[in-house]
Amino acid sequence: SIADKENMATINVRKKGLTRDPDRCDIPYYVSEFVEREVGSDYDSLRKLDNLIDKLSENKRRLEEQVLTVSSEVPKRIQNALKNAEDSKKSLSRLLEEETLLSSSISSHLLKAQPWMEDLDVLIGQVEEIERHLSYLKWISRIEELSDNIQQYLMTNNVPEAATTLAFMAELDIKLQESSCSHLLSFMRSTVKFWHKILKDKLSSDFEEVLTQLRWPFVGPPQSQAFGLAAPASAPDTYNNLEMLFCQLLKLQTSDELLTKPKQLPEKYSLPLSPPIILPIQIMLNPLQKRFKYHFTGNKQTNVLSKPEWYLTQVLMWIGNHAQFLDDKIQPILDKAGSSVNAGLEFSRGLVMLILEKLAADIPCLLYDDTLFCHLVDEVLLFERELYSVHGYLSSFPSCMHILSEESCFQRWLTVEKKFALQKMDSMLSSEDAWISQYKDITDVDEMKVPDCAETFMTLLLVITDRYKNLPTASRKLQFLGLQKELVDDFRIRLTQVMKEESRASLGFRYCAILNAVNYIATVLADWADNVFFLQLQQAELEVRAESNAVSKLQLGQLASMESSVFDEMINLLERLKHDMLSRQVDHVFREVKDAAKLYKKERWLSLPSQAEQAVMSLSSTACPMLLTLRDRLLQLEQQLCHALFKIFWQMLAEKVDVFIYQEIILANHFNEGGAAQLQFDMSRNLFPLFSHYCKRPENYFKHIKEACIILNLNIGSALLLKDVLQPASESEITLKPNQPSATAALNELGVYKLAQKDVEILLNLRASWPNTGK
């Protein structure tokens, strides 16, 4: 009925007016939502109300039962919790009572035991003291026992066992070093020293006698070594004695290291730690050490500051003369004894120490005499090279480079190195052949057309690298690298000065030679940057700079990622100079081309006969001077510049010529059919072929000219169609006609990619002959 509908509408309006409040239990909202969901606007569904009421009543009953159940269980749980708490409280009380009783019992016991503890402390102290005395006496007894054993072994001439016992005693000495019993330590050390001296003297004497039988040392010519390496029938006994005495002397090594402090150079030389020379090798070195000191110290005629090569060569000869004997006879003994020592290297290390002592004494005497000092450094470097390459000396051993790395000596070395390098640079630049390539007559070798001064300079840098690459520390190497950078910068400045003097003749032979020199130096430095040695220096430089915060995080990142190199700064300066010089040459040639093109610019392009009217197309006479100038300059510079530089030159020149002809000749004139055809003939059959010797498709370097000729030489129909396509494209992008291509697609189809749409429109307007279309 109408009344019912009005009531329902009222209910709906009220329901819509109800809004949900999320902060409280909104009963009206839920009720209205429930009614809407169950009843809705279907009045027939009111029949469901009975079932709905029954369902709600059942839900209500269940909820009431749940509430009653929970309300009855909660008090029980609370009671249980209270009971547990009371039980815990009682248990805690009992524990506290027990703790009090136990504490009082302990206190009473401690009080009673206190006198006993005091008595026991005294007894324990006495026992410990007696144990210490007993241990002390045991050590003394042990030392005396070992000493008696050694004495008995010596009395029965059992030297091997005596040496073994002494080695054991020396090990006990080392273990005893942690003890504070100074008298016991002194007794142990004096006992070891006593027997060590006796055994060492005896074994050394016997060992030297065997060596004498073998004619050791081999200081004469090779034939005098025959007995040592290929002895007569008595040799087996001699070699057996050699092996026996060598092994016995090895057993004295521990005690010898305890008692003998090796001679060491001052700390300023920063020599690496190395173990003492093994005792038998020391004995074998003794006669050579005596010879060295006899000849190369004091007032002997062989001891001359100006002749370091005498003692350096002598040591190398000794190492070479004894190498075979050490490898064939001594090394097997060491291997059999389980020693890791290399006989040859140990022998070399002992002789090198003589060199180091000699250098440390001599260098202060000639530090300020440039000639003598430089000669000494040269000879030492030659000595080091042969020592490492021929005799396999190890870089971890002390070497002459440690002496040269001492601060005062090293700074003097740097100064002298720089002085002589600068003198060499002066002489190489003032030479008559400074700008001539040594390989000018050998085409395969002379690809870079390097002038003599540049090649000599890079050889100088390479020699400097060879001289300092074996320095023991990275910091010293970096200082030499800094010197190399200074020299490169100085040479660049000198080249720049000579270039400025020659700038008026930028196409001249000397100017081109300077440019080749700059390119060569930059190329070689870039190659060096990938060398392992310079990569290691880059890593060292990165660490130094990171510690000193000398560079930005960006630069550190570039160094660490190998994006840059140690020579980047120098290479960038050289590349800038190279670009400036090339630009000057290009500008010079381009000015000549422009001057030669004056008549060509004034050509009467509007009145030239068409191609059909000519029997054979020929080059415009006005273009000849321009093309001849281009040809002559390209040939000249191809001969004078290296290939890489000439490639950059002609590409830069081609770009300038392309823009010049396009802007100054094409855009500045109007063309009839004959003029357009003549322009295309001049360009495609004459200009472009001048560059065909340097690339396969020279027209790609003249894209403005090439594409302009395409537009100017379109037949009338194609030109009109192109104009129609371009016209709507330029009028605010008006919608194209069906099946009409876009302007870009149309230009690309003609082979026009470089020129913009507006440029093409201008070129079309330069065409003089258009049919009358009535527009």
Side-chain angles (χ1 to χ4, degrees), residues 445-464:
V445 179
D446 197 32
E447 288 184 0
M448 298 195 75
K449 295 181 170 60
V450 187
D452 184 56
C453 63
E455 188 166 7
T456 306
F457 175 70
M458 295 312 293
T459 303
L460 172 66
L461 289 186
L462 185 62
V463 169
I464 291 176

Side-chain angles (χ1 to χ4, degrees), residues 558-571:
Q558 289 173 339
L559 282 170
S561 62
M562 300 300 174
E563 291 178 11
S564 60
S565 72
V566 290
F567 295 112
D568 263 12
E569 186 178 351
M570 299 295 101
I571 294 172

Side-chain angles (χ1 to χ4, degrees), residues 120-137:
L120 279 174
D121 283 342
V122 174
L123 291 173
I124 289 171
Q126 292 173 351
V127 170
E128 289 177 347
E129 185 176 2
I130 291 171
E131 285 181 345
R132 286 197 299 273
H133 291 168
L134 182 60
S135 177
Y136 197 94
L137 292 173

Side-chain angles (χ1 to χ4, degrees), residues 435-447:
W435 306 108
I436 300 174
S437 171
Q438 296 180 9
Y439 314 105
K440 61 180 179 178
D441 299 325
I442 310 174
T443 307
D444 295 340
V445 179
D446 197 32
E447 288 184 0

Side-chain angles (χ1 to χ4, degrees), residues 16 139 336 452 494 743:
K16 290 179 181 178
W139 270 104
K336 189 175 180 181
D452 184 56
R494 293 175 188 234

Side-chain angles (χ1 to χ4, degrees), residues 69-70 232 261 396 528 575 608 664 742:
T69 301
V70 170
K261 287 187 178 181
S396 58
W528 285 2
E575 289 291 337
L608 292 177
E664 301 287 333
S742 67

Side-chain angles (χ1 to χ4, degrees), residues 2 41 111 135 272 284 287 324 329-330 403 443 478 491 503 532 536 571 601 607 647 703 741:
I2 296 173
S41 59
L111 189 62
S135 177
M284 297 173 76
Q324 187 178 353
K329 305 302 180 184
I330 303 301
I403 305 299
T443 307
L478 287 175
F491 195 71
S503 58
V532 174
Q536 291 171 342
I571 294 172
K601 288 172 64 177
S607 57
K647 183 178 180 181
K703 289 184 177 178

Side-chain angles (χ1 to χ4, degrees), residues 503-539:
S503 58
R504 292 183 180 179
S506 58
L507 303 183
F509 168 76
R510 180 170 290 193
Y511 190 92
C512 291
I514 296 169
L515 185 50
N516 287 329
V518 172
N519 178 69
Y520 175 70
I521 295 170
T523 304
V524 173
L525 290 179
D527 290 341
W528 285 2
D530 296 329
N531 184 282
V532 174
F533 174 73
F534 288 108
L535 289 175
Q536 291 171 342
L537 284 189
Q538 179 176 340
Q539 180 63 29

